[in-house]
């Protein structure tokens, strides 16, 4: 008899962002006349920049001519893209060989695929609130989970605790959902801890482009010893507007070994078996992000979203609400007013002012009573949402 993966029975009935979309769609069906201001899922609204669009067009044209047509791409990434990404790291003082960089179809796909490298008995340590896919993919693959609490007391930045052991450690900085960022000293402690106990850190750097403070590391490899204990997962989704285009990259250093096995070689074996590479056209578009023109253009986009963050921060300040994030991250994490629970707050915002955010407890129990706003909306929507939010919160609190 076929036995299904019974771990799925342990998952919540539906994925967080799906539940939000369903609730929002149901409301919209009932009230088609009301515009909805979407600050829920972190999906970008600005179009791809000119440098990327030109490169994509050019690559499409290349695919139309026999002399320039490209078939299968190398499974781990086209050499031209692996090289420019390695050069990008070198600009920050992180030296990588191009074949330590793997091109992927996006960070979320990769975060789950990487679990193939580790035995199912390995324990995953997850700081909650957390991006829900960390928990769900660990459950799907039958891994034990150790939950660490990120809360107001520890500034949403749990630190290593010798009494709590794990084999895999998920770290996300700048953090989704809280916007908290680890300092260099704090991150060094995690690296030292992982090296001491033989754990591997899965470092989710999807939001590194939003870091403003010079002393905050963008990459875990800025810390000494990280190449022997960390895999870094990065994405162009939030950096260059690739949420619908799909492209990310992962660094698996050659120095990362466990029990005599080389994780870089294992990942090459995995990719060459499991994928036929990322589309040539998309890789050409991605390479354009790292050109001088691309970097200048995406800097403009990041500024735009940061201004959105400023608008939402002002709105929360005006209502005298406690929140964190928004400065080095594209998310704001607020405490729900009057002790309200996260889903009630969600429902009321949707019903009363048609603003959609993300309930904090969708990111784990420690998110109960909190709420997340994404800053990736259009300027107009962000301004309207901010005004409505201030008015509503002031009325409730006073
Ligand atoms: C989020 O809203 O947390 C992210 O956009 C989800 C994702 O990147 O998959």
């Amino acid at each position: 008899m076929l036995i299904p993966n019974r771990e799925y029975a342990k998952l919540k009935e539906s994925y967080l962002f799906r539940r939000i979309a369903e609730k929002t769609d149901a409301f919209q069906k009932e009230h088609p006349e009301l515009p909805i201001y979407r600050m829920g899922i972190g999906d970008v609204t600005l179009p791809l920049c000119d440098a990327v669009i030109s490169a994509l067009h050019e690559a499409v044209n290349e695919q139309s001519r026999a002399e320039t047509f490209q078939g299968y791409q190398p499974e781990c990434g086209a050499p031209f893209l692996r090289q420019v990404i390695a050069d990008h790291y070198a600009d920050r003082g992180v030296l990588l060989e191009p074949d330590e960089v793997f091109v992927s179809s996006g960070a979320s796909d990769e975060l789950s695929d990487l679990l193939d490298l580790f035995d199912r008995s390995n324990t995953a340590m997850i700081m909650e609130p957390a991006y829900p896919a960390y928990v769900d993919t660990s459950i799907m693959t039958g891994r034990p989970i150790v939950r660490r609490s990120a809360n107001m007391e520890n500034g949403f930045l749990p630190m290593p605790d010798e009494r709590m052991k794990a084999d895999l450690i998920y770290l996300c900085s700048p953090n989704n959902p809280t916007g908290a960022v680890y300092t260099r000293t704090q991150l060094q402690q995690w690296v030292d801890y992982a090296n001491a106990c033989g754990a591997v850190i899965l470092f989710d750097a999807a939001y590194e482009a939003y870091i403003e403070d010079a002393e905050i590391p963008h990459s875990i490899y800025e810390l000494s010893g990280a190449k022997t204990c960390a895999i870094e997962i990065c994405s162009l989704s939030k950096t260059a507007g690739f949420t619908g285009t799909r492209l990310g990259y992962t660094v698996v250093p050659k120095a990362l070994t466990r029990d005599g096995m080389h994780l870089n070689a294992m990942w090459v074996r995995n990719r060459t078996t499991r994928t036929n590479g990322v589309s040539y056209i998309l890789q050409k578009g991605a390479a354009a992000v790292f050109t001088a023109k691309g970097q200048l253009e995406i800097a403009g986009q990041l500024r735009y979203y940061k201004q959105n963050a400023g608008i939402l921060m002002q709105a929360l300040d005006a209502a005298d609400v406690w929140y964190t994030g928004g400065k080095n991250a594209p998310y704001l994490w607020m405490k729900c007013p009057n002790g309200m629970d996260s889903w009630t707050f969600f429902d009321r915002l949707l019903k009363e002012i048609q603003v959609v955010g993300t309930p904090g407890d969708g990111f784990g129990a420690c998110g109960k009573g909190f709420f997340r706003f994404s800053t990736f909306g259009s300027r107009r929507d962000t301004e309207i949402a901010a005004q409505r939010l201030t008015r509503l919160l002031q009325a409730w609190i006073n």
Side-chain angles (χ1 to χ4, degrees):
M1 190 183 75
L2 179 137
I3 303 173
N5 180 350
R6 295 200 197 285
E7 305 298 338
Y8 278 66
K10 299 179 187 162
L11 294 168
K12 283 190 191 148
E13 198 182 326
S14 85
Y15 189 61
L16 172 64
F17 295 109
R18 191 174 166 141
R19 184 168 172 207
I20 292 172
E22 282 168 357
K23 273 177 167 275
T24 310
D25 290 350
F27 179 85
Q28 186 76 93
K29 237 186 217 148
E30 267 178 47
H31 305 280
E33 72 293 356
L34 295 177
I36 292 182
Y37 304 95
R38 293 169 198 267
M39 316 278 141
I41 190 163
D43 196 3
V44 293
T45 47
L46 290 175
L48 295 171
C49 68
D50 286 348
V52 171
I53 291 294
S54 307
L56 290 172
H57 280 305
E58 209 175 293
V60 170
N61 289 338
E62 284 180 57
Q63 292 297 70
S64 73
R65 294 190 296 267
E67 324 72 79
T68 48
F69 172 77
Q70 299 268 331
Y72 283 129
Q73 294 301 292
E75 298 87 344
C76 301
F80 66 81
L81 183 55
R82 299 176 92 182
Q83 181 66 58
V84 294
I85 296 171
D87 292 346
H88 181 68
Y89 273 94
D91 290 343
R92 294 199 185 129
V94 172
L95 299 183
L96 297 175
E97 292 175 36
D99 55 359
E100 294 181 298
V101 176
F102 295 77
V103 176
S104 76
S105 53
S108 45
D109 316 21
E110 200 81 340
L111 275 160
S112 114
D113 290 355
L114 278 164
L115 293 178
D116 267 3
L117 295 180
F118 307 100
D119 192 84
R120 276 167 188 256
S121 64
N122 288 155
T123 302
M125 180 183 283
I126 300 177
M127 323 296 153
E128 283 192 336
Y131 178 46
Y134 302 163
V135 172
D136 285 358
T137 55
S138 296
I139 293 175
M140 285 173 184
T141 53
R143 288 186 160 72
I145 296 175
V146 177
R147 290 179 155 84
R148 293 289 310 278
S149 156
N151 48 46
M152 282 170 85
E153 288 68 48
N154 59 25
F156 291 98
L157 294 168
M159 294 304 297
D161 176 345
E162 291 305 326
R163 292 161 305 175
M164 296 181 84
K165 296 276 181 247
D167 305 300
L168 291 170
I169 301 169
Y170 285 87
L171 291 180
C172 178
S173 176
N175 189 268
N176 176 14
T178 67
V181 279
Y182 280 112
T183 64
R184 200 167 289 277
T185 314
Q186 290 172 321
L187 218 42
Q188 186 67 59
Q189 283 181 44
W190 275 111
V191 167
D192 294 344
Y193 167 83
N195 274 322
C197 65
V200 169
I201 296 173
L202 297 177
F203 189 71
D204 182 348
Y207 300 98
E208 59 82 18
Y210 289 84
I211 295 173
E212 277 176 24
D213 295 342
E215 69 278 11
I216 305 290
H218 286 248
S219 163
I220 195 149
Y221 304 116
E222 291 176 42
L223 287 313
S224 133
K227 284 189 180 169
T228 55
C229 70
I231 292 176
E232 181 159 294
I233 301 101
C234 213
S235 155
L236 294 186
S237 285
K238 314 298 161 64
T239 307
F242 270 58
T243 52
T245 305
R246 308 306 303 150
L247 196 130
Y249 48 95
T250 299
V251 177
V252 187
K254 291 185 183 163
L256 182 54
T257 62
R258 287 294 178 271
D259 201 20
M261 297 187 76
H262 291 255
L263 273 73
N264 178 287
M266 289 167 68
W267 195 232
V268 171
R269 188 69 182 83
N270 180 297
R271 295 292 83 183
T272 49
T273 307
R274 287 203 162 209
T275 82
N276 275 329
V278 173
S279 132
Y280 170 72
I281 297 169
L282 298 188
Q283 295 196 69
K284 287 301 267 193
V289 170
F290 298 95
T291 59
K293 180 168 164 32
Q295 289 291 297
L296 197 71
E297 289 173 350
I298 64 162
Q301 301 198 338
L302 296 171
R303 250 193 326 274
Y304 178 93
Y305 294 131
K306 280 184 166 293
Q307 285 161 357
N308 281 352
I311 292 166
L312 287 168
M313 286 159 90
Q314 269 176 18
L316 298 184
D317 285 337
D320 205 17
V321 165
W322 186 94
Y323 68 92
T324 179
K327 183 160 192 294
N328 291 297
Y331 296 117
L332 269 74
W333 180 250
M334 66 167 277
K335 198 156 170 43
C336 298
N338 307 334
M340 203 179 288
D341 78 74
S342 314
W343 281 103
T344 304
F345 189 56
F346 173 91
D347 288 334
R348 290 195 63 181
L349 288 192
L350 179 59
K351 213 169 118 204
E352 295 175 36
I353 56 171
Q354 292 78 57
V355 170
V356 174
T358 307
D361 63 1
F363 298 100
C366 294
K368 270 192 180 27
F370 289 89
F371 202 76
R372 190 194 79 171
F373 288 109
S374 141
T375 62
F376 292 114
S378 71
R379 177 60 41 80
R380 189 175 165 276
D381 281 10
T382 306
E383 281 170 351
I384 297 173
Q387 281 164 9
R388 292 180 169 208
L389 203 54
T390 311
R391 242 181 280 135
L392 188 76
L393 290 171
Q394 281 174 339
W396 282 351
I397 294 168
N398 297 324

